[in-house]
Amino acid sequence: MLNIKNINIKNKKVLIRTDLNVPIFNKKIVSDVRILAALPTIKLAIKKNAIVIIMSHLGRPKENSYDNKYSLKYVSNYLQNKIKNIKVLLIKKYINGFNFKSGNLYILENVRFNKGEKKNSLLLSKKYASLCDIFVMDAFGSSHRKQSSTYGISLFAKISCFGLLLISEINTLKNYLNKPKRPMTVILGGSKISTKFNILEYLIKISDNIIVGGGIANNFIAINNNIGKSLYEKEYIEKSKKFLKSNKILIPEDVYIGKSLLFNEKSTKKKIKKIYDNEIILDFGIKTIINIIKILISSNTILWNGPIGMFELFNFRKGTRIISKTISILKSFSIIGGGDTISAIDMFDDKKNFSYISTGGGAFLKFLEGKELPIVRLINNIEIILKKI
């Protein structure tokens, strides 16, 4: 993989696509894991006297429209505190170019404000590429998407390469998942089973136990039970039944329910067969949590992607908190991936207590399937072609 360390970037305009998509609440960054992971590549480029430009997305704003809620200004301020010897400037208007000066670090405003970003607009990709001499793809968390700032730009940039984080993520995950120590347990949370259906099929083949949470768990509960107003996908009920034949999936015995999604909503413990039409499943019950603890204790490898309950609500974070605490004290090798999971760990534990934390969510899962990430294939193939010319 073509590495930024092996390229002469001195006095060159270097555009680094990072993943600074961090949770922000009340104008404060809740989890800085992704920012800290991006720093080594940024600092290397600064050390090598490049003119450094950073681009990233944040949240899901409406395209072609500015929204202060999704501005990277708080990330920019955070970086200024972390990088003392250089001035950090947030650039809002950059599509048609802007004036560069050496000695500054430039952060381009949220790329998802730009028309055509998500659809990988070739025109937008060309404009991104015109801003730099060298493009560095370092956003592992966005490497599974074919968008203008992650994929399209590589088609037009003079030189494209990978950053330290992306290379480290891929190499580390390859090493750890090539021959995992058994038993291997996977915790898979998320709101929609449709988005993780393919990975679930694959995980059943490679894992010994699968603990499902959130809307994914609701789909399995709904096969034989009423789940009230709980989130699930009706069209996937029949499709979900085939997974139960593996006997690897833990179905909750009991849950905590609420009647709204208010922060202080009261929680009530119930067996899954006694849920009423006006109730919402928001966390696992004690019996289910105990069963999960038993499985985790017997596991030598634990892979966790997605909280198992609505941990953002005060009375429904017990399941996610106990799972986090349990994994953190075990000697098992633990691999953590996904923004919400990282946020949960930041809330309940010290990140140092986990073996490996990946900055990727969707990219992390795609990689687990054994699929090559689009941007990795593209840049590697470009490099092979250039060597032959």
Side-chain angles (χ1 to χ4, degrees), residues 192-194 197 200-201 204 215-223 232-246 249 251:
K192 294 183 178 181
I193 194 170
S194 58
F197 196 81
L200 197 51
E201 281 188 308
I204 282 178
I216 298 175
N218 293 344
N219 257 77
F220 288 104
I221 297 173
I223 292 174
Y232 82 113
E233 292 174 281
K234 188 175 182 179
E235 64 273 26
Y236 276 83
I237 293 293
E238 286 300 317
K239 294 179 181 179
S240 300
K241 287 181 180 180
K242 70 174 185 177
F243 292 133
L244 298 181
K245 296 176 183 178
S246 67
I249 296 178
I251 306 297

Side-chain angles (χ1 to χ4, degrees), residues 80 93 167 181 212 217 225 231 243 250 262 279 287 291 327 377:
Q80 185 66 84
K93 295 182 179 180
I167 290 174
K181 289 185 178 180
V212 289
N225 304 278
L231 180 66
F243 292 133
L250 175 72
L262 296 174
E279 296 174 336
K287 285 187 178 180
N291 290 336
I327 296 173
R377 185 190 310 116

Side-chain angles (χ1 to χ4, degrees), residues 189-191 213-215 218 231 256-258 260-265 267 280-284 306-321 340 344 347-348:
S191 58
N218 293 344
L231 180 66
Y256 282 103
I257 60 94
S260 78
L261 298 180
L262 296 174
F263 181 74
N264 61 347
E265 175 67 14
S267 65
I280 311 169
I281 299 172
L282 296 171
D283 199 4
F284 285 168
I308 56 91
M310 196 78 171
F311 76 99
E312 297 91 342
L313 305 183
F314 184 79
N315 292 319
F316 299 96
R317 54 182 58 163
K318 184 176 292 183
T320 300
R321 179 176 59 82
D340 288 339
M347 183 180 290
F348 304 127

Side-chain angles (χ1 to χ4, degrees), residues 1 29 51 116 135 141 179 182 226 329 339 342 346 387 389:
M1 297 177 69
I29 294 171
I51 299 171
F135 170 63
K179 290 184 179 179
R182 302 287 179 179
N226 175 36
I329 63 175
I342 293 172
D346 270 334
K387 285 180 179 178
I389 294 175

Side-chain angles (χ1 to χ4, degrees), residues 10 48 81 87 97 105 152 324 342 362:
K10 185 176 180 179
K48 286 192 170 188
N81 291 328
K87 191 172 182 179
L105 173 64
S324 181
I342 293 172

Side-chain angles (χ1 to χ4, degrees), residues 177-195:
L177 295 172
N178 188 28
K179 290 184 179 179
K181 289 185 178 180
R182 302 287 179 179
M184 175 178 171
T185 294
V186 175
I187 304 169
L188 190 66
S191 58
K192 294 183 178 181
I193 194 170
S194 58
T195 60

Side-chain angles (χ1 to χ4, degrees), residues 102-377:
S102 58
N104 294 331
L105 173 64
Y106 298 97
I107 300 180
L108 307 184
E109 185 58 286
N110 194 341
V111 294
R112 287 193 176 168
F113 290 157
N114 302 327
K115 185 178 180 180
E117 164 63 21
K118 287 187 177 182
K119 292 184 178 180
N120 193 27
S121 160
L122 292 183
L123 177 61
L124 182 60
S125 300
K126 286 180 181 179
K127 289 188 174 183
Y128 285 154
S130 69
L131 298 174
C132 66
D133 300 307
I134 299 166
F135 170 63
V136 182
M137 178 59 182
D138 204 33
F140 177 72
S142 301
S143 59
H144 61 304
R145 298 190 180 104
K146 281 190 176 183
Q147 297 182 350
S148 290
S149 68
T150 60
Y151 188 88
I153 184 174
S154 291
L155 297 170
F156 304 104
K158 298 169 188 174
I159 298 174
S160 295
C161 66
F162 300 108
L164 305 180
L165 172 63
L166 191 140
I167 290 174
S168 174
E169 286 267 21
I170 288 176
N171 289 340
T172 303
L173 289 173
K174 275 183 179 178
N175 291 336
Y176 289 151
L177 295 172
N178 188 28
K179 290 184 179 179
K181 289 185 178 180
R182 302 287 179 179
M184 175 178 171
T185 294
V186 175
I187 304 169
L188 190 66
S191 58
K192 294 183 178 181
I193 194 170
S194 58
T195 60
K196 295 184 178 179
F197 196 81
N198 292 337
I199 186 64
L200 197 51
E201 281 188 308
Y202 182 74
L203 289 174
I204 282 178
K205 297 175 185 176
I206 67 167
S207 62
D208 300 291
N209 307 291
I210 298 179
I211 298 164
V212 289
I216 298 175
N218 293 344
N219 257 77
F220 288 104
I221 297 173
I223 292 174
N224 295 310
N225 304 278
N226 175 36
I227 59 169
K229 297 189 296 181
S230 307
L231 180 66
Y232 82 113
E233 292 174 281
K234 188 175 182 179
E235 64 273 26
Y236 276 83
I237 293 293
E238 286 300 317
K239 294 179 181 179
S240 300
K241 287 181 180 180
K242 70 174 185 177
F243 292 133
L244 298 181
K245 296 176 183 178
S246 67
N247 292 319
K248 292 182 178 181
I249 296 178
L250 175 72
I251 306 297
E253 291 183 35
D254 57 345
V255 293
Y256 282 103
I257 60 94
K259 294 182 180 179
S260 78
L261 298 180
L262 296 174
F263 181 74
N264 61 347
E265 175 67 14
K266 182 182 176 183
S267 65
T268 304
K269 189 179 73 171
K270 282 206 165 187
K271 292 182 178 180
I272 59 172
K273 294 189 178 297
K274 295 187 177 182
I275 297 171
Y276 298 144
D277 290 342
N278 64 338
E279 296 174 336
I280 311 169
I281 299 172
L282 296 171
D283 199 4
F284 285 168
I286 293 298
K287 285 187 178 180
T288 301
I289 292 171
I290 290 172
N291 290 336
I292 290 172
I293 291 172
K294 290 176 182 177
I295 291 172
L296 294 177
I297 289 173
S298 66
S299 303
N300 284 316
T301 301
I302 300 170
L303 191 155
W304 184 14
N305 179 275
I308 56 91
M310 196 78 171
F311 76 99
E312 297 91 342
L313 305 183
F314 184 79
N315 292 319
F316 299 96
R317 54 182 58 163
K318 184 176 292 183
T320 300
R321 179 176 59 82
I322 292 175
I323 285 176
S324 181
K325 291 287 184 185
T326 302
I327 296 173
S328 71
I329 63 175
L330 292 175
K331 293 182 179 179
S332 312
F333 190 87
S334 54
I335 304 173
I336 313 299
D340 288 339
T341 319
I342 293 172
S343 294
I345 287 172
D346 270 334
M347 183 180 290
F348 304 127
D349 282 292
D350 188 333
K351 294 185 288 289
K352 294 178 182 178
N353 295 328
F354 300 86
S355 308
Y356 182 74
I357 296 179
S358 172
T359 58
F364 174 74
L365 293 175
K366 194 175 185 72
F367 189 86
L368 286 180
E369 285 186 75
K371 293 183 178 179
E372 190 175 21
L373 301 170
I375 186 63
V376 174
R377 185 190 310 116

